[in-house]
Amino acid sequence: MARSSVTRPPSMKGAKDAIGVLSRPGPNAVRYGDLGLAGTPGIVYTPAEGYGLPAVVLGHGWLQPTRRYHELLRHLATWGFVAAAPDTQRGPLPSIARFSSDMNTVLDMCCGVRLGNGLISVDARRTALLGHGTGGGAALVAAAVRDRLGAVVTMAPVETRPSAIAAAPDVTAPTLHLTGALDPLAPSARYAEQMALAAGGDAWVRSIEKAGHLGFCDGRHWSGVLLQQGSQHKTRKITRALVTAFLMEHLINEKSVSALTSGDVPGAPLVDFDGEVDEQHEQLPLGLLTAADEK
């Protein structure tokens, strides 16, 4: 019989210890499947079994294949999450409206069907959206029209069309924005902090030291030459820990991870943002490279 409890971490002492624990794989064996069999190209990772599990859907960055996020998706599955990602809208002019709809469709799919030969189910009250770059903007657009969402996490988010900043006031779920301190494509002050200022619920911004825009991705891809960015092991390590902790706290009410959700995290300090939202919603090239018919 499949177990019904979600996975909780062992005792941890402080942020450094928590990073060490939560950046490593959890105790669950993992299965994966092809979302294409259900009608949407993409991938899903799950624990081997479990009822009433939390679920998260990831939106990829501009031009990035979902394989560059398999490490993060698989990591979340080892800690008891159902983690999926649509592999759609990968061209140079993606439709963010369609991509955000695909993300919500995949999340509905995870909640609505038994996975893993009936041994896995998702609790629709424990769901989250996650995204990188344009996928981060799409996650906010998707979250703005979704009920009962437990959390949102973005990594190096950029402005999109339709506007992620304009969608933020309708997102009441707790939101974490992770930014790269060395990311010229998605500067924190222009994008993540504007999204946090506009948020309809609690929002936090953390700046990861020495991180670039594609530092959150795994492996190599030709877009790294175009964007002059590459994968970064340390960025991925701390991101795994921060994302896992935030989802644990807000989806399964795990209090032992507070050192990584509200405390002083070495290498990823909280950003103090203030002021007013820039109504111009200024976009850099990554934000402009979205379908022009979305208004």
Side-chain angles (χ1 to χ4, degrees), residues 14-15 204-206 242 249 257-266 268-271:
W204 296 264
V205 179
R206 286 191 182 273
L242 291 171
E249 179 170 283
V257 298
S258 61
L260 293 185
T261 57
S262 58
D264 181 17
V265 178
L270 284 167
V271 176

Side-chain angles (χ1 to χ4, degrees), residues 80-103:
F81 296 88
V82 171
D87 197 22
T88 59
Q89 299 300 318
R90 284 187 46 208
L93 294 174
S95 168
I96 297 303
R98 293 175 184 172
F99 192 35
S100 62
S101 178
D102 289 342
M103 293 176 69

